[in-house]
């Protein structure tokens, strides 16, 4: 129901045509499509009418124009927007997982803007395969016969199960009850199995599963044994899991392939960095798993990708499956992955691959950076404190790396202060520990130090105002 207030206020609202005559909006309509600017103007006028119905008054024309400009700036600015990850979580799933290495970025740039031999054999002058080159690299890095890459590990597993246990052959896939896990984002092993057309056969118990449990479940309908690395949680106490090599021995005896979902897909020894041992791809391959599956953007430190390393005959089955085309990886992902894997071939991953450089960062180096921040910020509200960084990305649950944190005790609430850091020109993402807002130098690139210092200084100044 309209009333006098609403009628008066509605009448003083400008038309879309009138709005577009405002100098700023005219410029916007010149830079972007006229239709897009008109649509944004209509949405803003609708929002204003709703506010009037709730008892508000009509803003001035200039003010509505400014609101439209602000919205355009937010919605049409380049995206994803870079930010500073000061959380100390190295593989942060919400913040884009692994940052790429310099060689990987250069490879993406070279592949992105022009033509390439992505699917072309330059020597023969004929069609080639986008998997041939990367397959050889995967083989060289992991020790497997060959490899295959798709767009992420979830699709690699879906493809693997579809090709090995889908319609047209034996369908049963044996999984330990302790490994029917949810990875996150709704990805659950039992659901993926169902989606692939396979039949899940659960064996053992949540905490203890033996090789003999698998052995008794094998029959003429068995398509595969699936082992899943429970990446994001840990079962402790009275537990037992069947070792991969035992499962491979069983599989060989009974003619059943063993598929191993490693999750993170680690290629380096985590123990040398003070972390718990994370199963490596090389070991999975050496144990004889027919197919090993892992992500490109977790501990590999490359682009989003699902990597399969294994036995040529089985990998070929995946490559030929119709789903392979549906989960195909793009040229930029392939370029970045090929450069990232080359860092491992050069044994330079700990220097070149950011994820490993951060994990390997010595405590005294972190302390020096934190000390420099402290000096530059120069405020009684700021001090250094010992803390812990985590690897994240659903890998190494409960494992931490010692670090030195810049801790801010704000005058107002830690939430408000963390919000102010997020609203800096380049957002800075912090963590809250106890009542402190803490920033971890481990995950902040050298070139981002000035951004952190400026953001903290501004946030402190705003808090005192
Ligand atoms: C992360 C993870 C996946 C999914 O990998 P994405 O590359 O994110 O698709 C699958 N299995 C395990 C065990 C994982 O940890």
């Amino acid at each position: 129901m309209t009333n006098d207030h609403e009628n008066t206020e509605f009448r003083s609202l400008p038309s879309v045509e009138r709005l577009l005559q405002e100098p700023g909006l005219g410029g916007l309509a010149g830079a972007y499509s006229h239709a897009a600017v008109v649509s944004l103007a209509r949405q803003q006028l609708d929002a204003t009418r709703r506010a009037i119905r709730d008892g508000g008054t009509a803003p001035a024309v200039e003010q509505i124009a400014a609101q439209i400009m602000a919205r355009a700036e937010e919605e049409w600015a380049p995206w994803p927007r870079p930010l500073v990850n000061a959380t100390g979580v190295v593989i942060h799933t919400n913040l884009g997982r692994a940052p790429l290495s310099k060689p990987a970025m250069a490879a993406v740039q070279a592949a992105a803007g022009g033509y390439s031999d992505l699917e072309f054999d330059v020597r023969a002058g004929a069609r080639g395969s986008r998997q041939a080159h990367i397959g050889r690299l995967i083989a060289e890095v992991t020790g497997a016969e060959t490899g295959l890459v798709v767009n992420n590990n979830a699709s690699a597993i879906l493809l693997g199960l579809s090709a090995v246990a889908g319609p047209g052959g034996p369908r049963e896939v044996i999984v330990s009850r302790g490994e029917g896990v949810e990875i996150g984002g709704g990805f659950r092993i039992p659901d993926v199995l169902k989606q692939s057309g396979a039949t899940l056969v659960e064996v053992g118990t949540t905490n203890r599963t033996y090789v003999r449990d698998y052995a008794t479940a094998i029959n003429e309908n068995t398509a595969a044994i699936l082992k899943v690395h429970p990446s994001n949680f840990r079962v402790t106490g009275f537990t037992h899991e069947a070792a991969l090599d035992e499962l491979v021995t069983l599989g060989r005896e009974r003619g059943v392939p063993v598929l191993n979902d490693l999750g993170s897909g680690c290629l380096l020894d985590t123990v040398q960095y003070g972390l718990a041992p994370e199963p490596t791809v090389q070991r999975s391959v050496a144990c004889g798993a027919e197919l090993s599956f892992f992500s490109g953007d977790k501990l590999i430190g490359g682009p989003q990708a699902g990597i399969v390393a294994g036995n040529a005959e089985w990998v070929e089955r995946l490559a030929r499956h119709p789903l392979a085309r549906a989960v195909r990886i793009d040229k930029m992902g392939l370029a970045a992955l090929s450069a990232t894997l080359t860092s491992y071939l050069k044994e330079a991953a700990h220097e070149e691959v950011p994820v490993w450089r951060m994990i390997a960062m010595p405590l005294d180096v972190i302390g020096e950076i934190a000390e420099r921040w402290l000096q530059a910020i120069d405020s009684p509200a700021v001090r250094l404190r010992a803390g812990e960084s985590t690897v994240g990305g659903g890998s190494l649950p409960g494992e931490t790396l010692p670090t030195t944190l810049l801790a801010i005790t704000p005058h107002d609430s830690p939430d408000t202060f963390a919000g102010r850091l997020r609203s800096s020109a380049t957002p800075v993402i912090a963590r809250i520990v106890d009542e402190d807002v803490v920033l971890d130098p481990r995950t902040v690139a050298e070139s981002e130090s000035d951004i952190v210092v400026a953001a903290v200084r501004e946030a402190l100044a705003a808090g005192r105002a």
Side-chain angles (χ1 to χ4, degrees), residues 52-76:
I52 290 172
R53 270 188 215 109
D54 289 340
T57 53
V61 178
E62 302 77 40
Q63 203 181 335
I64 302 175
Q67 287 163 341
I68 296 166
M69 301 278 291
R71 238 171 110 164
E73 201 169 297
E74 192 173 316
E75 288 181 23
W76 299 342

Side-chain angles (χ1 to χ4, degrees), residues 4-211:
D4 285 351
H5 159 77
E6 286 177 20
N7 284 334
T8 316
E9 297 299 321
F10 281 169
R11 266 198 301 278
S12 65
L13 286 179
S15 64
V16 171
E17 290 69 38
R18 170 68 192 83
L19 272 171
L20 291 188
Q21 282 162 14
E22 283 298 299
L25 276 195
L28 200 65
Y32 295 94
S33 108
H34 185 78
V37 176
V38 167
S39 157
L40 214 56
R42 289 216 174 96
Q43 288 173 43
Q44 191 58 42
L45 283 172
D46 284 346
T48 308
R49 280 190 205 97
R50 280 195 299 275
I52 290 172
R53 270 188 215 109
D54 289 340
T57 53
V61 178
E62 302 77 40
Q63 203 181 335
I64 302 175
Q67 287 163 341
I68 296 166
M69 301 278 291
R71 238 171 110 164
E73 201 169 297
E74 192 173 316
E75 288 181 23
W76 299 342
W79 182 88
R81 188 175 164 200
L83 51 73
V84 176
N85 172 16
T87 63
V89 180
V90 176
I91 305 169
H92 200 304
T93 300
N94 301 144
L95 305 183
R97 284 205 186 154
L100 293 182
S101 67
K102 288 208 172 77
M105 285 191 287
V108 170
Q109 189 160 28
Y115 301 104
S116 64
D117 63 348
L118 182 72
E119 286 189 7
F120 187 68
D121 183 335
V122 175
R123 220 174 301 151
R127 191 194 161 137
S129 150
R130 73 172 58 202
Q131 297 288 349
H133 182 88
I134 202 78
R136 280 191 298 274
L137 270 182
I138 294 167
E140 282 148 9
V141 170
T142 66
E145 272 178 28
T146 188
L148 176 87
V149 182
V150 295
N151 64 10
N152 62 22
N153 192 30
S155 52
I157 294 161
L158 177 64
L159 171 64
L161 290 170
S162 305
V164 173
R171 306 284 277 272
E172 292 182 4
V173 174
I174 308 174
V175 183
S176 160
R177 281 208 169 75
E179 297 178 4
V181 301
E182 175 175 320
I183 308 308
F187 182 85
R188 293 176 155 189
I189 291 295
D191 296 342
V192 178
L193 266 153
K194 195 185 284 172
Q195 188 62 43
S196 72
T199 308
L200 169 65
V201 176
E202 285 189 300
V203 297
T205 61
T206 310
N207 57 329
R208 289 175 87 90
T209 304
Y210 303 89
V211 190

Side-chain angles (χ1 to χ4, degrees), residues 93 97 151-157 181-184 187 189 227-232 261-265 278 293-298 303-307 393-395:
T93 300
R97 284 205 186 154
N151 64 10
N152 62 22
N153 192 30
S155 52
I157 294 161
V181 301
E182 175 175 320
I183 308 308
F187 182 85
I189 291 295
K227 186 150 180 64
V228 182
H229 179 50
S231 325
N232 51 8
D261 175 13
L262 287 152
S264 221
E278 174 79 6
F293 300 83
F294 51 101
S295 288
D297 55 355
K298 290 181 180 171
Q304 179 188 306
I307 308 171
S395 44

Side-chain angles (χ1 to χ4, degrees), residues 136-434:
R136 280 191 298 274
L137 270 182
I138 294 167
E140 282 148 9
V141 170
T142 66
E145 272 178 28
T146 188
L148 176 87
V149 182
V150 295
N151 64 10
N152 62 22
N153 192 30
S155 52
I157 294 161
L158 177 64
L159 171 64
L161 290 170
S162 305
V164 173
R171 306 284 277 272
E172 292 182 4
V173 174
I174 308 174
V175 183
S176 160
R177 281 208 169 75
E179 297 178 4
V181 301
E182 175 175 320
I183 308 308
F187 182 85
R188 293 176 155 189
I189 291 295
D191 296 342
V192 178
L193 266 153
K194 195 185 284 172
Q195 188 62 43
S196 72
T199 308
L200 169 65
V201 176
E202 285 189 300
V203 297
T205 61
T206 310
N207 57 329
R208 289 175 87 90
T209 304
Y210 303 89
V211 190
R212 60 170 184 272
D213 296 321
Y214 292 86
T216 47
I218 295 179
N219 62 46
E220 69 279 10
N221 298 320
T222 304
I225 291 170
L226 173 66
K227 186 150 180 64
V228 182
H229 179 50
S231 325
N232 51 8
F233 69 100
R234 180 168 293 160
V235 183
T236 56
F238 188 60
T239 63
H240 183 85
E241 68 174 298
L244 182 62
D245 50 1
E246 297 174 305
L247 291 179
V248 169
T249 305
L250 172 67
R252 296 265 157 91
E253 274 168 24
R254 309 285 291 271
V256 174
V258 174
L259 319 187
N260 190 19
D261 175 13
L262 287 152
S264 221
C266 191
L267 289 167
L268 298 183
D269 177 13
T270 46
V271 174
Q272 63 185 319
Y273 301 112
L275 296 165
E278 174 79 6
T280 64
V281 182
Q282 295 94 320
R283 197 177 123 67
S284 175
V285 170
C287 276
E290 271 71 16
L291 296 169
S292 302
F293 300 83
F294 51 101
S295 288
D297 55 355
K298 290 181 180 171
L299 282 171
I300 298 293
Q304 179 188 306
I307 308 171
V308 187
N311 179 301
E313 192 187 315
W314 288 102
V315 171
E316 186 53 32
R317 252 172 95 159
L318 270 59
R320 278 198 317 263
H321 191 276
L323 253 189
R325 179 65 166 78
V327 296
R328 171 164 105 165
I329 185 166
D330 71 301
K331 61 184 173 189
M332 288 178 285
L334 278 169
L337 185 62
S338 125
T340 307
L341 292 178
T342 307
S343 291
Y344 288 93
L345 269 187
K346 293 193 293 186
E347 297 191 329
H350 60 291
E351 290 160 1
E352 288 184 356
V353 176
V355 160
W356 285 101
R357 209 172 46 225
M358 291 184 230
I359 290 175
M361 208 176 204
L363 186 55
D364 57 344
V365 172
I366 296 175
E368 281 163 25
I369 300 169
E371 184 61 43
R372 274 206 301 279
W373 291 357
L374 182 73
Q375 300 291 333
I377 294 163
D378 187 26
S379 157
V382 180
R383 66 184 202 288
L384 301 187
R385 62 180 271 183
E388 289 167 336
S389 321
T390 54
V391 175
S395 44
L396 297 157
E399 288 292 309
T400 58
L401 294 159
T403 192
T404 302
L405 302 167
L406 184 88
I408 304 139
T409 313
H411 295 291
D412 40 14
S413 84
D415 281 327
T416 309
F417 193 88
R420 276 207 294 280
L421 291 178
R422 288 198 306 276
S423 59
S424 312
T426 301
V428 173
I429 314 301
R431 249 184 330 138
I432 295 173
V433 175
D434 307 325

